[in-house]
Amino acid sequence: MRFWDDRVVPVMVDKMLSTGPVHKERRAVCAGLSGRVLEVGFGSGLNITHYPAGVGEVAAVEPSDRGWEMSRGRRDSAPIPVARIGLDGQDIAADDHAFDHALITFSLCTIPDPARALREVRRLVRPGGTLAFLEHGLSPDARIARWQRRLDPIEKRVAGGCHLTRDVPSLLGDAGLDIATLETKYLPGPAVMRPWGYLYRGTATTPS
Ligand SMILES: C[S@@+](CC[C@H](N)C(=O)[O-])C[C@H]1O[C@@H](n2cnc3c(N)ncnc32)[C@H](O)[C@@H]1O
């Protein structure tokens, strides 16, 4: 699976997560960012074009060299400097409260211990700062959730460790982050894609 995970999954993810409806969600989730931003699970840099003008710099955490390499063109043409500061969102070498805001998109599904990564976000974002999140996860519809549980073991194998069943609001709350805004929806598309398409988009604040 190493070749698959290292070489194929980043390309597949870049393709699947760069559709028009997904970019619309990316634009919305990035809208409130400013100052120093930590992006956990930077991938191929699909959020870059949506950083607002008030963002001064982006610190990226991304384990995949392939993903980072794929982001090069996007980084080079961005007006904002992007530096890769780490490889693992569960353990980031940066000072407490070093960032104004954090951004995570479609990565809590894949990070092995998302609770640990969110505790790092809480530590690293200044008091009163926000985490902007856009994630897919567990559907409230029992029939879809049943399919998500059935498909989860296959999804993990073919999609680089991705889970379909992560309960995003619970993960945020358990990490001590207060949900300030939350919108949920299915991505538009055929009903058969719903196990992959239940979205959580919003912001959570760090305690002040
Ligand atoms: C589905 S991709 C999403 C990429 C990007 N955030 C986006 O929205 O297009 C999941 C990302 O999480 C990254 N990832 C996996 N484990 C991680 C970890 N421990 N810390 C940070 N990122 C991780 C993967 O390398 C991959 O880039």
Side-chain angles (χ1 to χ4, degrees), residues 136-200:
H136 72 98
L138 188 63
S139 164
D141 175 344
R143 197 171 51 86
I144 303 293
R146 232 178 356 260
W147 272 107
Q148 289 180 313
R149 291 197 182 91
R150 277 186 205 132
L151 292 164
D152 223 21
I154 305 167
E155 175 76 1
K156 267 187 255 176
R157 283 185 70 80
V158 301
C162 173
H163 297 68
L164 298 174
T165 51
R166 293 210 162 146
D167 180 340
V168 175
S170 296
L171 284 167
L172 293 164
D174 291 349
L177 294 162
D178 299 322
I179 296 175
T181 63
L182 176 63
E183 278 187 41
T184 57
K185 64 170 75 150
Y186 288 104
L187 269 173
V192 71
M193 295 309 290
R194 291 207 168 151
W196 290 269
Y198 191 71
L199 295 190
Y200 297 85

Side-chain angles (χ1 to χ4, degrees), residues 13-14 17 26 39-47 61-64 67 87-90 104-112 117 134 136 159-160 162:
V13 165
D14 182 82
L17 294 182
R26 291 182 186 280
E39 182 168 350
V40 179
F42 185 79
S44 57
L46 288 170
N47 293 320
V61 176
E62 173 52 50
S64 164
L87 304 178
D88 185 359
Q90 301 161 129
I104 303 189
T105 63
F106 303 107
S107 293
L108 290 176
C109 54
T110 305
I111 295 174
L134 170 62
H136 72 98
C162 173

Side-chain angles (χ1 to χ4, degrees), residues 35-110:
R36 287 199 80 198
V37 174
L38 170 69
E39 182 168 350
V40 179
F42 185 79
S44 57
L46 288 170
N47 293 320
I48 286 179
T49 52
H50 303 300
Y51 297 143
V55 172
E57 58 183 286
V58 174
V61 176
E62 173 52 50
S64 164
D65 290 336
R66 175 76 174 138
W68 182 248
E69 195 46 47
M70 284 169 64
S71 74
R72 179 191 295 273
R74 294 179 179 128
R75 281 184 280 120
D76 287 351
S77 48
I80 298 159
V82 182
R84 190 184 190 186
I85 65 151
L87 304 178
D88 185 359
Q90 301 161 129
D91 186 9
I92 302 171
D95 293 335
D96 293 2
H97 309 155
F99 301 97
D100 295 300
H101 302 287
L103 172 67
I104 303 189
T105 63
F106 303 107
S107 293
L108 290 176
C109 54
T110 305

